[in-house]
Amino acid sequence: MSMDNKAKIGEYLSRFFPVQDLKDDDDIFQLGFVSSMFAIQLVSFVEHEFGLTIDNDDLELDNFRSVGALDAFVTRKQSAAVAS
Amino acid sequence: MTSTLTAAQAQAQKEFRAFADRHIVPHADAYHRAQRTPPQIVELLAAEGLLGLPVAPQYGGGGCDAVTLGLLAGELGRACSSLRSLLTVHTMVAHAVARWGSRELKETWLPRLARGESIGALAVSEPGAGSDAAGVVTRLTPDGDSWLLDGHKTWTTYGESADVFLVLGRSPEGPTAVLVERATAGVRTELIEDLIGIRASMTADVHFEGCRIPAGQVLARPGLGLSHVVGTALDLGRYTVGWGCTGIVDACLEASVDYAGSRETFGTPIKDHQLVRQMISGMYTDARAARLLCLEAGRLRDEGDPGALAQTSMAKYFASTAATRAAADAVQIHGANGCSSAYPVQRYLGDSRVMEIIEGSSQIHQIGLAEYAFQERSLVRRRQAAATPRSEGR
């Protein structure tokens, strides 16, 4: 399951960055490719793709920093949604 | 055209159109000349629920979809770009609060904004920072449990009359967005007059001097004020401006068709001159194309599709450039009359020029849209490469 999410996230991010293979822990903010348009698009992608709602409490850059961080964030949100 | 709308959306459009024709169209030139929006028309928009149309019903709004909001912006834009600007800035603030405000901020502000009791405006641009919003120097200094706000904002549409400002400042953590009430000590506004367009829009300079802002008034968190809060607001702003421009094109087309059918030169109605027909054909096509792009942006927004941002940018870019083409041609068709204040086409010309500058200038969109074209192409190439097995021995 998690691998599927990772693949989806990886493919989405790879559209925006001129790198061949984005590694799990590559920091997309440090790579310097994040524009304000991209920041909102990324929020929108995660909500749309994984059926989540991201609110101001989730808006930690650490949740969005890399493929691995996004995958962990999505898994956390999805299990929280199941639990509630 | 209405075939792409649901029955409810088509009905809403009919009502918006009737409202604009009855209450705004007959007065828009007077607002333009007076360079003021009378409070009564703002109260009427609020009383009709039009200022809170997209706000969630739990906060007293109409909970409408993006397409319906666009249809309203289109009809207001056809009637008066200043009042369409009011809808734009007000809904930008409400949207930013709904998206990134704390529960307390949402509960405090959304009902007021939804009812139009408080009018919201966006204070982002500065004398030294416009399109490059990252360059703002307005300071947010932490001071105990609150912040001190100092700075000078300019080009704040409806800044002279707004009750609450969404302000982009710079805190030690980076760009930070805060909500500031007009009643806060140290807030002062100054009307900017004699603009080329949206002359009734009460656009103002806004000064903040030692304003004390409670920590709870921060949207999202310090550092994310531009990338997330203002970015979210601007995306919605582009959307309603794009629609407003379809309204300008519609208004230019209606005025030009009516005028060309009644005015005679060289013994024939000017509508029979081929070069006049060329201008009207261009306007007619632009009106449809702009509307379809805006409808597509609305559909993607309603589906929560991340591609909505690019589509919105494209719709705004196309519609605003179409509006300047249409307004220039409408004035041309009207001849000297078009240069006078006796016909509204003169107003459309100034308004459309402003539309190519606000919410991302045409050049900003041209740069951004090219980037999407490169991204789309590189994705296609990547997928093709992944699907093609590599030959072993080359």
Side-chain angles (χ1 to χ4, degrees), chain B residues 138-150 169-173 211-213:
Chain B
T138 289
R139 281 196 318 277
L140 273 164
T141 317
D143 187 57
D145 280 350
S146 52
W147 300 83
L148 290 177
L149 174 68
D150 288 277
R170 182 164 288 283
S171 76
E173 286 95 340
C211 299
R212 186 165 290 279
I213 312 297

Side-chain angles (χ1 to χ4, degrees), chain B residues 249-279:
Chain B
V249 182
D250 287 342
C252 290
L253 180 64
E254 289 168 16
S256 299
V257 166
D258 289 350
Y259 192 85
S262 62
R263 172 83 175 176
E264 291 192 2
T265 60
F266 304 101
T268 176
I270 60 171
K271 79 179 175 61
D272 292 337
H273 297 312
Q274 288 196 347
L275 294 178
V276 171
R277 296 183 84 89
Q278 179 194 39
M279 287 189 269

